[in-house]
Amino acid sequence: MLRLVSAASKPSSAGRLSRVVCSNCSATIGRRTLASTSARSADITLTVDGKEVTVPQGSALIQACEAAGATIPRFCYHDRLAIAGNCRMCLVEVERSPKPVASCAMPAMPGSKVFTNTPLVHEAREGVMEFLLANHPLDCPICDQGGECDLQDQSMRYGSDRSRFHEVYGKRAVENKDLGPLVKTSMNRCIQCTRCVRFANEVAGVEDLGTTGRGNDLQIGMYVEKMMDSELSGNVVDLCPVGALTSKPYAFHARPWELKNTESVDVLDALGSNIRIDSRGVQVMRIQPRTNDAVNEEWISDKARYAYDGLKFQRLTTPLVKDGDRFVPATWEAALQAVADGLKRSGATGDEIQAVAGQLADTEALVALKDLVNRLGSDNTALDGGRGAAPPVAGVDVRANFLLNATIPGVERADAILLVGTNPRHEAAVLNSRIRKSWLHTGLEVGLIGARADTAYGYEYLGDGARALADFVAGKGTFAKTFQAAKRPLIIIGSAVAEQEDGPAVYNALAKFVEKNKERMLTPEWNGFAVLQRAASHAAAYEIGFVPSKHAAATRPKFVYLLNADEVDPAAISPDAFVVYQGHHGDLGAQLADVCLPAAAYTEKGMTWVNTEGRVQLGRAAVPPPGAAREDWKIIRALSEVLGVTLPYDDVLAVRDRMWELSPTLVRYDVTEPTSVGVARAGLGVLAEATKSTKVSGAPLARPIANFYQTDPISRASVTMAQCTRAFVRGEDYDDAARATEAAFG
Amino acid sequence: MLAARAARRAAFAAARTAVCPRPLSTSACRRSDALFVHRDTEYNNPKIPFEFTPENRKKAQTILSHYPPQYKKAAIIPLLHLGQEQLGWTSISVMNYVAKLVEVTPMRVYEVATFYTMFNREPVGKNFVQVCTTTPCMLRGSNEILDTVCTHLGVKPGQTTPDGKFTVVEVECQGACSNAPMMVVHDDFYEDLTPETTRRLLDAFAKGERPKSGPQSGRHTSENSAGLTALTSKPYGPGEHCQPDFQ
């Protein structure tokens, strides 16, 4: 039987196999490995357990075995990490080989005959398992990994029922390390697979984790007392095949078999990382990544993973109407009536009715709110934060002007990247790991204009603002020359650029630059103009045109409808305006409101999200909304009836039909639709024309995110994120009380 | 410096006994002989500056010149040795300094330094006495030698004498099995030891002398101590048994 390795089981970056990453490549030093990409060459055919299988040359034997349908137990081998070959669990028998071979470290050879199910292999696995368990504590009943532990599962499947080890000294004891408020360590359980070390060094770019000592005394750690300061550190919890690294916030809260798994989409940045929400009853217990090679591979950021406890605090659970200086709980009828009365009382007409959408607004709600406001005769649909109340610099008529056109996996194909006014490490942590991967394994050169940042890869710093960009466009400097010579040059423009004083000038210069270099930057295969959004709602908002008209932007609103809008400037809202806040957290927006309408958070509604590359994904509800909270579009639909401008949809499918009318891409899920070259050029032409009369002030491009861990109402309400802020941003002791409670568990 | 350590250790021991452990575990826990994590102490912390002396800096440049610039990290081991030679032991500052020299993150140097037992990550006495206790030496009485060293100096293996003159450690085979038992002091081999010669050597070191290295039994290298049994005749010289023409 001939089976081909499917694209999914192939490594996503060419030739990651058998390439050892040397680690002298820290961002500060800016050096990298010599390893070059291995050429993708012909496929080879070999026999595994009597089945013929064809794999690309350079594949590891373990991949060939997988392709043939044979299950190979493993601990240290991981698809996305360098090969270590130190757990020895993946031993298989190869014909004419005197000993069993470790299939992860052995390249698949043409014509070789491999056996994965022979007495020799069984005995070898049993022996390896015996060694692994010799020093592994028998504490599964109190171990958080219990039930989802590779060691537990594999010892049941491949291990012996008894041990021959009776060491008088007992088992090895290793002290626990303090990796910070996210990762809990129990180093006695460590089997030294070094997955965490490889992840930290290769993917996360935190080169402080390593192995100290040797032999039986080998241990994982940082040697000095230090915490694991990375936006991706939570992923080592998933990687750890045993219970040595577990999640600190989740510790002792639930067992995996009690949890309901819901596959959904993360909304705390604009990448739309695929997540699995594990819930018990009405509570989200934890969030884990879901593999999607086109978006987040297998990683999610710490904010996506750990901010879920913010869903329990500061929630709006019942409609609130302001009475004097305090909020009074109300029924939905009363609250909606209060909004209608408020609108009448404010006397707002036309563009004086403003709708402001925040970072966490879902697409259905945006569409419903825009329809409602338009029916009330207003064009004043704005976004919060920065210059959201003004028409966007790049315009919204052409998608290519506000999307990451190169797509997230496409970023890896770029051979020169210019980052303008962005620090992807904070704005899109998982995307940053892709840039690092490409930087490590290919000849990628990175340049940065804007505030200096620790990006986890080396870059050439060109300057802090529009002047530096002008020099770059003029071809001054070595990076500009590299960029000119690049085959797939990519410019990543941070979403914050549009919010800055020099934003229009920067856009103007870049649009002209792309037009000038269109034979390399705008081809059917490659669009080198990419905008990196940082808010989950913004791509969708631009897609449906949730932006104010020029006239509307100049109007002073008398009635403001805040949809999840917590980044608004309180001073911009006139004191006599009537303010409605619809959202799930009592954050800034709710404080400004006259009426608060409680809505569902992203884990509580199955809504559409558009990520920064324009990929439309469906989230799913894992738990019901708390109290009287409702899904956003339903609230707006109900309100429209009270206001006498009933919206024409009664169920979510009807809303999605309406979305299809606005933009057909909004119902084409999980794909990115490239913009054609002609349209993209036209879009850039419009952009250049609209911004041609701007002057350069020379002001530096500021970074939009000062604290990665607290960027939205959910993460601001999260205790874990507050601890991270203390530990990693401010460098304080993060929580002694938590340590004390943990000590009680041992 | 050493006194400070002793006091710290005593305080630590007192603290340990004060917290009464719950009598649940019955098997003794297996401890390693060295600590594989770093704890800041007043004699060993990253704030203590370390730099090579001008001569050592020259040596370091020579060492670095042996490797291509992108493989500078190959020089970690020789540079650590150089640092240990200069300071007497490998402090965290030495490791950080080496990391800076070879342009890697410090962890890569820590990994190397903790892997090799010959990097002393704690201060050692003036005379670092390494007694071999591997099988050939053990068969020839190295246990007795170790006992002699320990009782003579009044310390246990791994400890330093209170006056800071001696540190005693057990080591694995040093490759002088034909002259077992042996010990190493100051990178010199002292072989064919007996309790008497060991004591004499230690006394000499205590006085600051450097006794003659090599076999202490009087024999030359590893020759038969009972006299030669073969090859006893005078070796013939060049051309001795050749045709007269060639003589």
Side-chain angles (χ1 to χ4, degrees), chain A residues 5 30 58 96 148 178 180 193 220 232 342 356 405 449 487 527 636 645 671 685 699:
Chain A
V5 179
R96 292 201 299 279
E148 50 182 358
D178 181 9
C193 69
I220 307 291
L232 296 169
V356 185
N405 299 305
I449 294 175
K487 287 199 188 78
N527 186 337
I636 296 163
V645 280
V671 290

Side-chain angles (χ1 to χ4, degrees), chain A residues 398 400-401 511 514-519 521-523 527 675-688:
Chain A
V398 178
N401 280 9
V514 173
E515 175 64 27
K516 212 170 96 192
N517 295 284
K518 59 178 184 292
E519 71 285 356
M521 297 195 69
L522 276 183
T523 65
N527 186 337
T675 313
S676 70
V677 177
V679 174
R681 271 188 67 195
L684 288 175
V686 171
L687 172 55

Side-chain angles (χ1 to χ4, degrees), chain A residues 270-272 295 403 408 536 539 609-617 672:
Chain A
L271 280 185
V295 182
L403 293 181
I408 293 170
W609 303 94
V610 185
N611 81 352
T612 183
E613 44 172 358
R615 190 183 300 275
V616 180
Q617 301 184 101
T672 52

